[in-house]
Amino acid sequence: MPAFLMFGKYSSESLNHVSPDRTDKAVALIKRHGGNIKAMYALLGEHDLVFIVDFPTMEEAMVASIGVNKLTGISFATSPALSVEKFDKMLAKAGDI
């Protein structure tokens, strides 16, 4: 399954509702859309959270990202990810760059 990085940014309001229960609901929503969560991290810096998730399709990743935003008030930017090994093989197929 394709991998996606979901970068989250808290709003002032979303910080008021941080709880294990809300996290569980977000995880359940991601799973309902075919997501397989590999890891979730809290961050310092530009982003507050990152989820590493495999989704069956880009469409499911988009729906889950929007759904988690609506559920939690956390703004997510979701990006497809490719392992460096796969990236190198893909570039080799393209020929010399």
Side-chain angles (χ1 to χ4, degrees), residues 2 11 23-25 27 30 48 55 57 65 67 71 78-79 82 89 93:
S11 66
T23 300
D24 292 344
K25 288 177 181 176
V27 166
I30 289 168
D48 299 313
F55 282 103
T57 66
S65 182
L71 174 71
T78 301
S79 300
L82 195 60
K89 288 179 182 178
K93 289 180 184 178

Side-chain angles (χ1 to χ4, degrees), residues 43-95:
L43 306 172
L44 294 174
E46 181 180 351
H47 303 287
D48 299 313
L49 301 165
V50 65
F51 298 173
I52 303 168
V53 186
D54 291 340
F55 282 103
T57 66
M58 184 176 297
E59 290 82 5
E60 292 295 341
M62 291 174 73
V63 169
S65 182
I66 293 166
V68 173
N69 178 283
K70 289 174 72 174
L71 174 71
T72 65
I74 301 168
S75 177
F76 278 91
T78 301
S79 300
L82 195 60
S83 72
V84 172
E85 179 184 10
K86 286 183 181 179
F87 182 74
D88 289 346
K89 288 179 182 178
M90 180 183 71
L91 289 181
K93 289 180 184 178

Side-chain angles (χ1 to χ4, degrees), residues 5 21 35 69 96:
L5 300 178
D21 182 56
N69 178 283
D96 291 331

